[in-house]
């Protein structure tokens, strides 16, 4: 085994530096750290207050968290676990949607809405569930960024509720070095 000791390795301009080949393993010595792919900070928030929306217009669910990235090249891994309840009046399908926002920008969901087959035409039939949203975001800023969820009902007569019966929703933000 050979050993190469240098202060810096820099690829030629306009090229990519490649370490190892397919099937190789690159190992770090004990006590050494990598400057990429490292979790730099973690923020967690919870929300357990019921929020009701019976319109097709999105409304805030109450679940929100903010993080201030250290570098514009870093990414934010967003992990959401959002409990919900859909109640419908008549029909056999009820549904709604939950979307993830970065400040005022939709970054995940919103166009697709989930439908739940209730299997009855009785009014006020209900269905509980949990929606998991996972997204790796590139906010490209060092200013504070706020992530939140919003909810909307699917069709007339439906009612979309987050954190029903005080079920706790969670959001975790992890800054990953770029």
């Amino acid at each position: 085994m050979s050993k190469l000791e240098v202060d810096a390795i820099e690829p030629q301009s306009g090229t990519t530096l490649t370490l190892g080949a397919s099937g190789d393993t690159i190992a770090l010595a004990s006590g050494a750290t990598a400057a990429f792919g490292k979790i730099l900070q973690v923020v967690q928030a919870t929300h357990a207050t019921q929020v009701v929306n019976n319109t097709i217009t999105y409304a805030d669910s109450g679940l929100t968290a903010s993080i201030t990235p250290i570098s514009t090249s870093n990414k934010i891994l967003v992990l959401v676990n959002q409990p919900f309840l859909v109640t419908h009046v008549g029909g056999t399908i009820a549904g709604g949607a939950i979307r993830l926002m970065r400040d005022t920008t939709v970054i995940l969901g919103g166009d697709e809405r989930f439908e739940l087959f209730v299997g009855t035409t009785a009014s006020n039939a209900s269905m509980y569930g949990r929606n998991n949203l996972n997204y790796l975001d590139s906010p490209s800023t060092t200013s504070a960024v706020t992530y939140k969820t919003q909810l909307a009902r699917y069709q007339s007569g439906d009612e979309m509720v987050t954190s029903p019966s005080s079920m706790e929703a969670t959001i975790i933000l992890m800054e990953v070095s770029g």
Side-chain angles (χ1 to χ4, degrees), residues 8-170:
I9 298 175
E10 187 173 319
Q12 292 179 341
S13 179
T15 63
T16 301
L17 176 64
T18 302
L19 297 176
S22 178
D24 288 347
T25 300
I26 306 296
L28 292 178
S30 176
T33 59
F36 54 88
K38 188 179 196 180
I39 303 298
L40 302 174
Q41 60 176 315
V42 177
V43 173
Q44 178 177 335
T46 60
H47 186 262
T49 303
Q50 180 172 295
V51 174
V52 178
N53 187 2
N54 57 12
T55 71
I56 60 171
T57 303
Y58 281 91
D60 290 351
S61 72
L63 182 62
T64 183
S66 296
I67 193 167
T68 304
I70 296 167
S71 169
T72 58
S73 64
N74 293 345
K75 298 183 183 315
I76 306 297
L77 179 59
V78 184
L79 307 172
V80 173
N81 184 292
Q82 180 84 66
F84 66 88
L85 166 68
V86 176
T87 302
H88 80 114
V89 180
T92 57
I93 296 177
I98 298 173
R99 69 182 183 184
L100 180 61
M101 308 284 293
R102 178 198 335 111
D103 295 326
T104 58
T105 302
V106 178
I107 59 173
L108 183 63
D111 293 330
E112 68 281 348
R113 294 173 184 251
F114 53 86
E115 296 180 1
L116 304 170
F117 178 72
V118 179
T120 179
T121 57
S123 56
N124 296 324
S126 300
M127 182 74 69
Y128 285 92
R130 283 193 174 266
N131 198 348
N132 292 301
L133 304 172
N134 304 311
Y135 189 77
L136 185 60
D137 189 32
S138 300
S140 300
T141 185
T142 55
S143 298
V145 182
T146 299
Y147 293 89
K148 65 181 178 181
T149 57
Q150 293 185 325
L151 69 148
R153 70 157 166 80
Y154 178 69
Q155 62 187 4
S156 179
D158 290 348
E159 181 176 83
M160 184 72 176
V161 180
T162 58
S163 297
S165 304
S166 299
M167 294 171 70
E168 190 171 79
T170 60

